[in-house]
DNA sequence: GATCAAAGGATGACTTGTCATCTACTCAAC
DNA sequence: GTTGAGTAGATGACAAGTCATCCTTTGATC
């Protein structure tokens, strides 16, 4: 049973503030590295690398939603911006008259192929170089526990 | 010495994807809970609770920057929006002619006093209830290690 | 084959966050 | 007391993310 109280204790506060700050800073660093070395944002990187996982076929919008776990509308807006920049293409799906296939353009493929190794180098230096294997596994466990817990919560989906 | 490679191994991938997804989802949940139960966003909550830490004096903008570790411009824009909504006030600083004091309005104080306990309840259910003390300390250590490491990196500040 | 709920996706309005740039003031050196 | 570098904060333009709403197609039921 968990002790309830109207404030966080020192241990909780340390972890929580550290987590929030770290996660915010890490995102900002990733964004800046990608912008300056590959000319794309972290959001664009996320979409492009999801598409790169299925190199030889386009993906449906809902597959991107499932892969990235973003809100549908967030994905769709991001795709619209990326279509404008020529990184991806929309095509009517052949299987489902309501559906849209999303495909990498040649430029999108070029960009992600260049960005991926640079980004992996970056997050290695940023993150993995100072995190022990034990911490890594604990973070994975913790993340999965929290994610699973989230599904039962109000304000979900 | 760390093994370099152009891709993440399974262990790294599991932790990294879990972390990114979890952190994104947690933010979204916090935002929704605050919006629906207290009528403010997470960004507004962050500013208001920083101000609430010094209940009896206004804070300077740079103090908010130091406390929250946000970019200066992010803080300033957020403050402008919150002034518009009547949650905080700007006053010329008496000590420094360039400076601005930021103070809670009566409404801002009312809102944060109502929001704080609700939010703490929420993150307890969301997060602390499924995270062990050991994991908590590990997360704090990990966050501090990564934050410290970030300071030496390019793309900092 | 008409009806209708649900699925797949798009759009608009609005908030949030970033970068680049700008103004006003301070403080030190001369 | 000028000059000039650095500090404190503000602004504008744009990219991201959220919510509410909309349109079309599908698929089940009658």
């Amino acid at each position: 049973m968990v002790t309830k109280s109207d404030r966080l204790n020192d241990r909780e506060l340390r972890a929580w503030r550290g987590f929030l700050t770290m996660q915010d800073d890490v995102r900002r660093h990733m964004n800046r590295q990608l912008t300056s070395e590959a000319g794309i944002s972290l959001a664009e990187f996320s979409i492009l690398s999801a598409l790169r996982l299925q190199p030889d076929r386009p993906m449906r919008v809902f597959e991107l939603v499932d892969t990235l776990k973003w809100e549908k509308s967030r994905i769709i807006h991001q795709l619209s911006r990326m279509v404008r920049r020529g990184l991806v293409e929309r095509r009517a799906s052949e299987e489902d008259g309501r559906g849209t296939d999303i495909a990498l353009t040649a430029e999108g493929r070029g960009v992600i192929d260049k960005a991926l190794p640079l980004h992996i180098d970056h997050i290695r230096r940023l993150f993995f170089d100072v995190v022990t294997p034990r911490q890594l596994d604990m973070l994975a466990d913790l993340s999965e526990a929290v994610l699973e817990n989230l599904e039962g919560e109000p304000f979900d989906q």
Side-chain angles (χ1 to χ4, degrees), chain A:
Chain A
M1 187 51 208
V2 179
T3 308
K4 294 275 177 184
S5 108
D6 60 342
R7 42 167 295 171
L8 301 182
N9 63 39
D10 290 348
R11 181 179 223 163
E12 292 166 334
L13 201 57
R14 170 177 173 243
W16 189 245
R17 293 178 57 85
F19 168 66
L20 288 182
T21 307
M22 179 272 283
Q23 151 265 18
D24 214 78
D25 275 33
V26 165
R27 282 191 152 293
R28 202 163 23 246
H29 269 77
M30 291 195 295
N31 242 311
R32 286 212 258 256
Q33 177 266 329
L34 284 165
T35 305
S36 80
E37 296 183 355
I40 53 176
S41 65
L42 178 56
E44 289 168 331
F45 176 86
S46 306
I47 301 264
L48 291 177
S49 40
L51 291 171
R52 196 71 185 86
L53 287 181
Q54 309 290 347
D56 297 320
R57 64 171 183 82
M59 282 176 89
R60 292 286 298 278
V61 172
F62 70 84
E63 292 182 287
L64 284 168
V65 171
D66 292 346
T67 305
L68 295 177
K69 323 264 191 229
W70 291 4
E71 291 210 338
K72 189 172 69 167
S73 145
R74 179 180 175 189
I75 301 255
I76 292 176
H77 278 299
Q78 191 58 49
L79 289 173
S80 298
R81 290 186 290 261
M82 293 173 73
V83 167
R84 245 180 270 138
R85 293 196 206 163
L87 295 171
V88 301
E89 272 177 3
R90 286 200 238 244
R91 300 176 197 146
S93 161
E94 287 170 1
E95 297 141 26
D96 188 330
R98 300 164 295 183
T100 307
D101 283 338
I102 306 294
L104 284 172
T105 60
E107 181 181 351
R109 183 174 303 253
V111 167
I112 189 59
D113 285 348
K114 177 185 161 206
L116 258 169
L118 293 172
H119 185 63
I120 290 179
D121 271 13
H122 186 244
I123 63 178
R124 264 198 199 295
R125 282 203 316 283
L126 203 77
F127 189 87
F128 294 101
D129 278 2
V130 295
V131 173
T132 65
R134 194 180 311 271
Q135 287 178 324
L136 214 56
D137 290 343
M138 272 227 200
L139 179 64
D141 291 343
L142 185 160
S143 299
E144 282 162 19
V146 172
L147 279 170
E148 193 176 342
N149 184 42
L150 245 46
E151 307 206 341
E153 273 297 300
F155 314 116
D156 192 33
Q157 67 138 335

